[in-house]
Amino acid sequence: MTLQSKLDAFKADFEAGKPPYNVPYSVIETMHRATAELIASGAAQKALKAGDKLPDFTLSDPDGNPVSSADLLAYGPLVISFYRGVWCPYCNMELQALQEVLPQFEALGAKLVAISPQNPVNSRKSVRQNNLTFPILSDPHNDVAAAFGLRFEMQDYLIELYKSLKNDLPAFNGDPSWTLPMPARYVVGQDGVILYAEVNPDYTRRPEPEDMLPALRRTASLAA
């Protein structure tokens, strides 16, 4: 089953109000409204795309160790997934799918990292619960996400919905602002140029991990 098939099956159950979430349809309508408004804003079209230069960054891994983009690219090409947080079931399913394909990334000399606004404690929880062997880097205030053009401010009505669902983002992130990154996936060559970019303001839609293999194969063949 593909990643998107799994996401679609989860979404169908969630929107049908099935357990364990048992959400009323008014919640679904509010989420649909927020997604439609984010799509209409055109924000995704302003994000970095293939051919753009990677913004340099240094972020902390779940153990507090600094990890820089320069150090990662010194090893080989880099795969980056922007991750909203441990509270997001769609995002966790995506990380699990990436973990399954990680050996193929590594065989092509690539590193994989996720970047998230959540604090290191919650990143350790994400790594543990999803059985990950790649790091989740903490991006305070979504500053690196902003450099990619991915950060957006949540509407007041969406903040109230999140509060009602106990999704306390300031507590998850250690940041009083209510901002999130749009889900996004990038492949970056060793020269820092973005080779592949997929940004979707609809958090229920994600590319397949295998979609990045052609870009990684091309850069591996050029390096050979």
Side-chain angles (χ1 to χ4, degrees):
M1 181 182 281
T2 66
L3 169 59
Q4 191 56 55
S5 295
K6 293 178 182 176
L7 296 175
D8 289 344
F10 174 83
K11 181 179 179 180
D13 286 347
F14 182 80
E15 296 196 351
K18 293 184 178 179
Y21 295 97
N22 302 308
V23 295
Y25 195 70
S26 59
V27 169
I28 305 303
E29 289 179 316
T30 301
M31 291 179 169
H32 285 177
R33 175 188 172 190
T35 299
E37 291 179 357
L38 185 58
I39 292 171
S41 74
Q45 283 70 47
K46 299 173 185 174
L48 295 186
K49 54 187 178 300
D52 290 334
K53 192 76 173 179
L54 172 79
D56 294 332
F57 62 79
T58 299
L59 300 171
S60 296
D61 71 10
D63 296 318
N65 301 308
V67 178
S68 73
S69 53
D71 289 343
L72 292 166
L73 289 173
Y75 178 87
L78 178 62
V79 177
I80 301 172
S81 176
F82 280 86
Y83 171 65
R84 303 198 310 168
V86 68
W87 51 269
C88 171
Y90 296 92
C91 309
N92 290 321
M93 293 169 74
E94 180 183 16
L95 292 191
Q96 292 164 20
L98 286 167
Q99 178 65 45
E100 291 180 7
V101 180
L102 180 58
Q104 296 183 62
F105 294 165
E106 292 176 336
L108 293 166
K111 287 277 193 182
L112 168 63
V113 298
I115 295 178
S116 173
Q118 70 184 4
N119 62 36
V121 171
N122 284 310
S123 289
R124 288 197 293 273
K125 185 176 181 181
S126 294
V127 167
R128 184 172 62 253
Q129 291 185 345
N130 293 297
N131 296 314
L132 306 179
T133 59
F134 60 89
I136 299 173
L137 308 181
S138 290
D139 179 21
H141 315 298
N142 275 306
D143 286 342
V144 172
F148 278 77
L150 301 172
R151 183 175 65 189
F152 67 94
E153 293 188 10
M154 297 170 63
Q155 305 92 328
D156 289 343
Y157 70 83
L158 189 59
I159 293 172
E160 292 306 313
L161 176 66
Y162 271 52
K163 288 179 178 177
S164 73
L165 298 174
K166 311 300 183 188
N167 279 349
D168 185 352
L169 295 193
F172 279 113
N173 300 343
D175 171 12
S177 69
W178 286 81
T179 65
L180 283 172
M182 287 182 282
R185 203 100 58 76
Y186 289 91
V187 175
V188 185
Q190 270 195 284
D191 59 359
V193 175
I194 295 171
L195 304 173
Y196 168 101
E198 174 67 29
V199 180
N200 198 326
D202 182 348
Y203 61 90
T204 69
R205 307 291 303 175
R206 311 294 171 109
E208 298 302 320
E210 292 85 355
D211 291 351
M212 292 175 291
L213 291 174
L216 291 173
R217 291 188 182 114
R218 282 197 298 274
T219 192
S221 65
L222 291 174

